[in-house]
Amino acid sequence: MRNVVFAISGPSGVGKGTLVKLLLKEDDSLVSSVSCTTRAPRKGEKNGKEYFFLSREEFISRIQENDFLEYDEHFGNYYGTPRSFVERQLKNKSVILEIDVVGALNAKRLMPQTVLIMIVPPDLKALQQRLAGRGSESEAQREERMRRVRYELEQQSKYDYVVVNDDLQSSKRRLQEIIKSEQNKEC
Ligand code: ADP
Ligand code: 5GP
């Protein structure tokens, strides 16, 4: 079995975090990369678990030290994948990067073996409801996130796999099939 980097992308609120948590719970060949961000923690988020929460100054100094495999700015905040964490984990496990489309395409350019998976909503109404149901963004922040959706969905053709997150359990099973088949590929 080979260790693979899986970049999982999709619009905010589509269910990436929920699905990744389920995958990690059931498969110890997987580990999720913990990104760094300058955004404030949401209720319940812990430093080092969902993200490493950094100040803007700290983030910029880490960019200068070439500490990120890739980084990008979304909604006024920086987000980046720590290079050393991914390289270390990849020795023993497959690594999931939960990152946006620009970050995922950059990661693929740097590491061509990266498998790109996009999670899409069954429709836009469901996406709006999920984002609102999560209750972690203001209405203005939700509108900003919804404005980016069309661009993200247009990138589907650049992805290796697209999974419609309609029923959560079916989506989880589909992702498990994809992961197994990629881990078992001869290269
Ligand atoms: P993301 O990480 O993509 O921003 P989340 O995992 O936080 O999205 O999911 C957003 C909201 O949608 C959460 O409240 C989650 O419980 C809900 N959700 C996720 N997947 C589904 C699904 N298949 N059906 C209904 N609700 C879902
Ligand atoms: P959120 O604030 O909802 O956690 O994430 C906002 C966006 O940032 C999402 O599209 C998420 O995929 C993206 N993101 C999270 N971590 C990273 C990262 O390390 N790099 C990049 N490029 N995007 C990220």
Side-chain angles (χ1 to χ4, degrees), residues 114-173:
T114 304
V115 174
L116 301 183
I117 306 175
M118 183 174 290
I119 314 287
V120 299
D123 54 58
L124 287 184
K125 196 153 168 265
L127 183 64
Q128 267 163 332
Q129 282 167 350
R130 286 179 199 173
L131 202 50
R134 184 167 72 185
S136 51
E137 284 85 17
S138 66
E139 199 175 332
Q141 284 172 325
R142 291 203 301 272
E143 276 169 18
E144 193 182 14
R145 281 164 190 251
M146 286 305 296
R147 277 198 294 274
R148 194 177 152 79
V149 172
R150 181 202 290 262
Y151 164 75
E152 290 173 317
L153 295 179
E154 278 170 3
Q155 308 303 309
Q156 276 180 54
S157 60
K158 299 179 182 152
Y159 273 64
D160 300 304
Y161 299 94
V162 176
V163 174
V164 182
N165 182 20
D166 193 349
D167 173 68
L168 191 62
Q169 292 305 319
S170 313
S171 311
K172 181 194 75 174
R173 282 194 295 274

Side-chain angles (χ1 to χ4, degrees), residues 5 18 24 59 79 81 86 88 91 106 108 125 129 142 147 152-154 182-183:
V5 178
T18 308
L24 294 174
F59 200 102
Y79 292 79
T81 307
V86 174
R88 211 172 339 112
K91 293 195 176 118
N106 280 337
K108 180 122 184 164
K125 196 153 168 265
Q129 282 167 350
R142 291 203 301 272
R147 277 198 294 274
E152 290 173 317
L153 295 179
E154 278 170 3
E182 289 291 339
Q183 287 175 328

